Amino acid sequence: GRRREPLAHRLYRAADPPVTASIAIMYAVSALFTAIGLALLLALLRPASESKVYAYRMIGTMGLALGAALAMSATAMWRWSLAA
């Protein structure tokens, strides 16, 4: 009988095309800000002065938020480029 193609091959062929360079850069910057934000928030596990705690908490939260917003924007741009 006819031989069936493996599922992995069918999924790869059905996957979205690769991202453009500008979208890949957005994802990279998003990952960078997310990592910085997470590192600052994890630094709060160690004892620190009140001003350092405030600054790390504020900047860490903003870094995580910026990373999430950039990732969502990059994903939207990727999806829109597929529809065009």
Side-chain angles (χ1 to χ4, degrees):
R2 199 177 116 208
R3 188 172 167 195
R4 260 190 95 135
E5 186 177 30
L7 177 63
H9 292 177
R10 285 183 278 153
L11 289 176
Y12 179 75
R13 204 174 300 135
D16 295 331
V19 297
T20 62
S22 61
I23 295 172
I25 291 169
M26 282 183 72
Y27 278 123
V29 172
S30 167
L32 177 69
F33 277 105
T34 301
I36 291 170
L38 189 60
L40 287 172
L41 291 175
L42 288 174
L44 293 173
L45 295 173
R46 292 180 301 228
S49 67
E50 189 175 322
S51 60
K52 200 179 247 190
V53 167
Y54 175 79
Y56 282 20
R57 186 181 299 153
M58 185 65 68
I59 298 168
T61 302
M62 288 190 291
L64 286 178
L66 179 60
L70 277 174
M72 289 185 283
S73 295
T75 302
M77 284 178 60
W78 186 20
R79 297 293 176 204
W80 290 334
S81 71
L82 295 175

